[in-house]
Amino acid sequence: MIHLDPSILAADFANLERDIRCVQEVGVEYIHVDVMDGQFVPNISIGLPVVKSLRKHITGVMDVHLMIEEPERFLEDFKEAGADILTVHLEATHHIHRTIQRIHDLGMKAGISINPGTPVSALEAIINDVDLVLIMSVNPGFGGQKFIPYSLEKLRQVKAMLNKARRDILIQVDGGATLDNVQTLIDAGANLIVAGSSVFEGEKTAANAKAFLELFKGCGA
Ligand SMILES: O=C(CO)[C@@H](O)[C@H](O)COP(=O)(O)O
Ligand SMILES: [Fe+2]
């Protein structure tokens, strides 16, 4: 089953409720929330009070992508803000295993993400402990960037690693996904597709989301 996970980073920040409702009305079940701290990535997005307010309008899964240094400092807060999935970057903490354990102890699904410059082999020791692997297909920090082609190879490697471990979990890809390249992402193993600028586009938003969902139906969704 393939899922669309629209990133609200590309939505209208003055109308987040409207934009979230718009994609949910056409059948979207996941909402991707990007949290940036200006340290781990060279940008600041939204923080806890906004995430907590969004929760009230998200009817499905609130998927929080933490692009912050030492995410272990804020796990309880994001639980309280209503995150269903909390994804942390391998590069952002000295204690990835403890951080994943704590996310689980708090009752959330735990995801691990790697930047474009981090090899998939770095995931080997943690792959059995996570519910989601996120392959960043752009350098994190900004929406609307171009897909990095080597990410396809990384998706294939993650898929092979998970097959070997007999694990069927979410393989998420984030950055530069479009209606034109999404089939190649699925073919490479991705089953949770983050898309920001190719979904949130003013009046075209509902039609864009629908087009992704239609395409996924042909993939056994
Ligand atoms: O985490 C990030 C960026 O750091 C993403 O979630 C982007 O928001 C995806 O945006 P598009 O590349 O789809 O426009
Ligand atoms: Fe993201």
Side-chain angles (χ1 to χ4, degrees):
M1 178 122 179
I2 314 295
H3 302 279
L4 179 64
D5 194 3
S7 162
I8 55 151
L9 193 62
D12 177 352
F13 271 31
N15 288 287
L16 286 171
E17 180 193 353
R18 181 201 65 191
D19 284 2
I20 287 171
R21 196 179 339 113
C22 176
V23 292
Q24 289 181 160
E25 273 173 7
V26 298
V28 160
E29 291 165 337
Y30 286 76
I31 296 290
H32 184 81
V33 179
D34 290 304
V35 176
M36 305 175 181
D37 67 352
Q39 288 289 325
F40 181 68
V41 290
N43 197 7
I44 296 174
S45 56
I46 54 169
L48 282 157
V50 178
V51 176
K52 198 170 181 172
S53 301
L54 293 177
R55 174 72 272 183
K56 296 178 212 141
H57 306 290
I58 294 173
T59 52
V61 179
M62 182 158 82
D63 163 38
V64 179
H65 177 193
L66 290 184
M67 285 161 275
I68 65 177
E69 284 291 346
E70 297 178 10
E72 56 271 27
R73 294 174 295 153
F74 294 102
L75 306 180
E76 288 76 8
D77 298 296
F78 279 99
K79 170 65 185 177
E80 206 204 307
D84 296 304
I85 302 175
L86 202 54
T87 296
V88 295
H89 271 260
L90 178 66
E91 305 89 351
T93 174
H94 293 299
H95 298 289
I96 191 61
H97 192 273
R98 182 187 293 150
T99 303
I100 295 293
Q101 241 175 6
R102 183 73 189 133
I103 294 173
H104 279 147
D105 289 348
L106 288 165
M108 295 176 282
K109 284 196 172 171
I112 179 128
S113 178
I114 53 171
N115 285 334
T118 303
V120 168
S121 56
L123 294 170
E124 189 92 52
I126 197 75
I127 203 92
N128 283 308
D129 299 294
V130 294
D131 306 293
L132 175 156
V133 174
L134 165 52
I135 297 298
M136 282 308 299
S137 43
V138 297
N139 285 296
F142 303 92
Q145 302 180 75
K146 213 166 161 276
F147 182 82
I148 298 172
Y150 186 68
S151 315
L152 286 175
E153 175 56 24
K154 292 177 77 176
L155 285 169
R156 286 184 209 109
Q157 289 173 7
V158 170
K159 180 76 182 160
M161 190 185 273
L162 286 167
N163 280 347
K164 197 170 157 211
R166 296 181 187 280
R167 301 220 61 219
D168 183 13
I169 63 172
L170 291 166
I171 304 179
Q172 186 176 43
V173 62
D174 185 3
T178 65
L179 276 166
D180 290 332
N181 68 12
V182 72
Q183 187 64 57
T184 61
L185 310 183
I186 295 166
D187 292 345
N191 53 22
L192 183 58
I193 313 291
V194 178
S197 48
S198 55
V199 169
F200 292 105
E201 208 185 347
E203 287 175 0
K204 294 189 193 159
T205 299
N208 288 341
K210 249 193 210 166
F212 273 102
L213 295 177
E214 279 302 311
L215 196 146
F216 295 171
K217 275 187 198 159
C219 307

